Amino acid sequence: MSKLQEKVAALPAERCCPALTERELTAEEAELTAAMFKALGDPVRLRLFSKVASHPDSEACVCDIADVGVSQPTVSHHLKKLKEAGLLTSERRGTWVYYRVEPSVLAAMGHLLTPTPASAQVA
Amino acid sequence: MSKLQEKVAALPAERCCPALTERELTAEEAELTAAMFKALGDPVRLRLFSKVASHPDSEACVCDIADVGVSQPTVSHHLKKLKEAGLLTSERRGTWVYYRVEPSVLAAMGHLLTPTPASAQVA
């Protein structure tokens, strides 16, 4: 687990990441959550992440997700960034490395973008 | 409206941005949505966004949100980036510029991070 992931996993979704429409983020919360958004802020990284996330059990062998039109070292670099941001975990099994979406982190990010009832009325 | 915002607003949330756990994104979808995540991938920008989003009516005068510990030109730069990504709109009224969260864009991003029933079971 990355340090960021440990921080996120240690907090309930509400404390880690209040809905952005609920109250302004503190500097520390913004630091923590911006790192997760940044990790998804690259088209290739986002495709890799969606490939893992949409695989059965939200887990995929690196051999199944590498066809995103970039070289293998670039794929490895992007997967490393996703791990550092706490969005993926990995495990080696025999020849291959398997990547898995961290469900608690996905839930925390989803919570961030959930409109609160007051803001939903305005919308 | 930015070009990105026009694209997003023209599509229902489901078509713009399928849940990341539902299926892998196409290259075009990834391009569109990574730009929105990237805009939130900076701590100062994220704090500014949360300040606007959590204001009554999801709208705030620039005079109310500028105290994030950076210079006024830096605040302007970040607000411009958020507008370009289609996350905020702005309107001048007298002396001040007012910023507003685009609810359809927030909803679309929230939809992206919503676990599908299958992945929720796994979680």
Side-chain angles (χ1 to χ4, degrees):
Chain A
M1 262 199 186
S2 69
K3 281 195 179 172
L4 187 63
Q5 201 173 12
E6 280 171 20
K7 272 193 178 180
V8 172
L11 294 170
E14 295 72 19
R15 264 193 65 205
C16 147
C17 318
L20 293 177
T21 50
E22 191 185 317
R23 63 166 171 81
E24 67 177 86
L25 298 181
T26 65
E28 196 195 354
E29 287 167 345
E31 200 77 42
L32 190 69
T33 50
M36 296 191 284
F37 283 124
K38 192 177 178 184
L40 296 181
D42 174 278
V44 173
R45 222 142 55 213
L46 191 55
R47 283 190 77 194
L48 283 170
F49 183 79
S50 76
K51 273 171 176 267
V52 178
S54 61
H55 241 249
D57 297 346
S58 297
E59 184 185 78
C61 169
V62 68
C63 54
D64 287 331
I65 57 170
D67 57 332
V68 285
V70 295
S71 69
Q72 194 274 323
T74 304
V75 166
S76 296
H77 165 79
H78 284 310
L79 288 170
K80 192 177 163 216
K81 290 276 176 192
L82 287 166
K83 277 180 65 179
E84 284 171 359
L87 293 168
L88 292 181
T89 53
S90 69
E91 192 186 345
R92 179 175 286 279
R93 289 185 216 143
T95 313
W96 297 108
V97 178
Y98 288 77
Y99 287 86
R100 193 178 172 78
V101 170
E102 191 49 51
S104 63
V105 177
L106 198 65
M109 290 185 77
H111 182 75
L112 265 168
L113 295 168
T114 306
T116 50
S119 69
Q121 276 170 11
V122 171
Chain B
M1 260 199 187
S2 69
K3 281 195 178 171
L4 187 64
Q5 201 172 12
E6 281 172 20
K7 272 193 178 180
V8 172
L11 295 170
E14 295 72 20
R15 262 193 66 205
C16 148
C17 317
L20 293 177
T21 50
E22 191 184 318
R23 62 167 172 80
E24 67 177 86
L25 298 181
T26 65
E28 195 194 356
E29 286 167 345
E31 198 78 43
L32 189 69
T33 50
M36 297 190 283
F37 282 123
K38 192 177 179 184
L40 296 180
D42 174 278
V44 173
R45 221 144 53 214
L46 192 55
R47 283 191 75 195
L48 284 170
F49 184 79
S50 76
K51 274 171 176 268
V52 178
S54 60
H55 241 249
D57 296 348
S58 297
E59 184 185 77
C61 168
V62 69
C63 53
D64 287 330
I65 57 170
D67 57 333
V68 285
V70 296
S71 68
Q72 194 274 323
T74 304
V75 167
S76 296
H77 164 79
H78 284 309
L79 288 170
K80 191 177 163 215
K81 290 276 176 191
L82 287 167
K83 277 180 65 179
E84 283 171 0
L87 292 168
L88 292 181
T89 54
S90 69
E91 192 186 344
R92 180 174 285 280
R93 289 185 216 143
T95 312
W96 298 107
V97 177
Y98 287 78
Y99 287 87
R100 194 178 171 79
V101 169
E102 190 50 50
S104 63
V105 177
L106 197 65
M109 289 184 79
H111 182 76
L112 265 168
L113 295 167
T114 306
T116 50
S119 69
Q121 276 171 10
V122 172

